[in-house]
Amino acid sequence: MLKKIIIPVVILAIALGAYRMMNAPKENSYGGRPATPVSAPSPESSEPKAKPGADARKTDAAQAAPGEAKAKAPAPSRGRGFRGAGQLGKQGATSVEIVPALADKTLAQLDLFGVIQAQHHTRLSATSNARVLALDVSEGQTVELGQGLLSLSADSAQEALTQRRSAQQELAARIRNETLKHDNDQASLTIDRELLRIAKNSVDRFTSLNSQQLTSGSDYEAALRAYQTQLMSVQNRQLTLAQYTDQMAQMLAQRDALASQIRLAKQVVADLQVTAPFAGLVAKVSVTQGQELRSGDVLVELYDPASLALFVRVPLRYRLDQLDATQISAVDSQGYAWQVEALRPINESGAQRLTLVPSGVNPVAFLPGSHVALTISYPIAEPAVEVPVTAVYDQQRVYLFADGVINAADIEILGRTQRGYLVRSPDFNDSASVVTTRLKTPVSGMAVAIVTSKDGARP
């Protein structure tokens, strides 16, 4: 019974407290009491009335302070007028440097990298399965023509040579026997033909006697059999003589084949002693003593130091192929001079290939495979303007300055120098100036301010 009374009372108290909180006066955003709305003063009351006493003046000042503070708050700028120009009004024009577009350069330079390669080199390989018996040279060693490099051992190669020599001897004996037999058959054919004639006469005689019934039939038959036997002998002898030419041709072909096989076998045996095919330098030894080899395995690499050349790829847009080789000079990073020996365009790779050899008698101080920094100098067809790299955009345009703004100008790159590019453009003239400062997002018509020109003069 008591619970039924207390619970509703508690709920009612909570609801009453919530209602009072919701309807209580709220503080302003500054933590004070809510501002009391103040009506605008009428024109008649614009003049302040005198308050008796200091306390009255303080009270009036305290009440007037909030209104004065609110009235003195600065209004936000709208970006209008000189003072309200906003952020854009505070920024000045971009400062740039320029150079005059004077076409006075006729010699271009390119900084490139090339690779040293030997034009005369060889790679010696094993011609059969073998074993390395001895190494006679080491990498970097200078060798003479015919000098031994290493020795190999291959029992199979020697056995193959012995077998082919035996077959050659056997075939030579067969050829000699066939020749003797042929000579004998030719002599025997004459005798067989004479015996055939005698047998024919005997048959004719017994035929005549038999017709006169002067001999028996058995004698005639015996003479006839002797004649036919001799006739077969003559025919067989003639067939043997006719087959001699073809048989001899077959044996001679076999003899030539065996001779070729013997030469190859001899070469294989000779290759077991590896010698230098020319005077040069051992670049690499690819085997070790005692190593088992298979046919085709690389043994030694050799090159001629006098044949070293520098191979350089040049972009096609510079068109060095239109120049004579004597017009192109080159100096590497160590000060060695090079001269162009050949120039071959390689269209599929988008580059030209220069082959350079040392000028004079100075030896090349590089090894094959070395990369060399090179500066190539060459004349260009017409005078060009030299501009720094920072002035060129996308390898196809620069920006010219005139009347406080810049405008794009298409260019053609004729070459390079140590400081930049050599370019030409139909937009260049005596009064044109090229912007050399690198701009992030330049556009034609963009306003700029000139700080100083590259020649040091103030604009």
Side-chain angles (χ1 to χ4, degrees), residues 401-406 448:
F401 172 80
D403 298 330
V405 297
I406 61 173
V448 296

Side-chain angles (χ1 to χ4, degrees), residues 281-303:
L281 195 69
V282 178
K284 184 178 181 181
V285 178
S286 303
V287 296
T288 58
Q289 186 169 347
Q291 180 179 343
E292 295 291 338
L293 304 174
R294 293 182 297 178
S295 178
D297 287 349
V298 178
L299 304 174
V300 178
E301 295 183 28
L302 190 70
Y303 72 93

Side-chain angles (χ1 to χ4, degrees), residues 169-323:
Q169 293 174 359
E170 180 184 358
L171 182 60
R174 286 175 54 194
I175 291 174
R176 288 194 300 271
N177 289 335
E178 287 296 329
T179 301
L180 293 174
K181 183 180 177 182
H182 177 69
D183 295 340
N184 182 68
D185 288 340
Q186 285 181 329
S188 299
L189 180 60
T190 302
I191 298 173
D192 287 342
R193 285 174 176 172
E194 182 64 21
L195 293 176
L196 180 62
R197 186 187 64 79
I198 294 173
K200 180 66 171 60
N201 292 338
S202 178
V203 170
D204 292 342
R205 185 173 63 254
F206 278 106
T207 299
S208 176
L209 292 175
N210 189 31
S211 62
Q212 298 176 10
Q213 296 182 353
L214 297 177
T215 184
S216 62
S218 59
D219 293 337
Y220 171 75
E221 293 176 354
L224 184 59
R225 283 197 296 272
Y227 169 74
Q228 293 176 343
T229 300
Q230 190 60 36
L231 178 61
M232 291 180 61
S233 178
V234 170
Q235 293 175 344
N236 289 334
R237 192 77 67 180
Q238 290 175 337
L239 178 62
T240 300
L241 291 172
Q243 292 176 339
Y244 169 78
T245 302
D246 292 338
Q247 291 178 350
M248 184 59 64
Q250 292 177 357
M251 288 188 291
L252 290 177
Q254 293 178 7
R255 184 183 65 181
D256 293 341
L258 276 174
S260 177
Q261 294 175 3
I262 289 174
R263 286 194 298 270
L264 292 177
K266 285 182 178 179
Q267 185 62 44
V268 171
V269 173
D271 288 342
L272 296 177
Q273 300 297 322
V274 182
T275 59
F278 55 83
L281 195 69
V282 178
K284 184 178 181 181
V285 178
S286 303
V287 296
T288 58
Q289 186 169 347
Q291 180 179 343
E292 295 291 338
L293 304 174
R294 293 182 297 178
S295 178
D297 287 349
V298 178
L299 304 174
V300 178
E301 295 183 28
L302 190 70
Y303 72 93
D304 182 4
S307 69
L308 291 178
L310 180 60
F311 295 89
V312 182
R313 293 181 183 272
V314 182
L316 277 177
R317 65 171 174 266
Y318 297 114
R319 300 312 307 264
L320 297 186
D321 56 327
Q322 298 180 355
L323 301 175

Side-chain angles (χ1 to χ4, degrees), residues 93-117:
T94 303
S95 298
V96 296
E97 295 179 345
I98 60 173
V99 293
L102 299 178
D104 58 353
K105 302 296 183 181
T106 58
L107 186 66
Q109 292 181 329
L110 287 175
D111 292 330
L112 302 169
F113 281 92
V115 179
I116 297 292
Q117 295 180 3

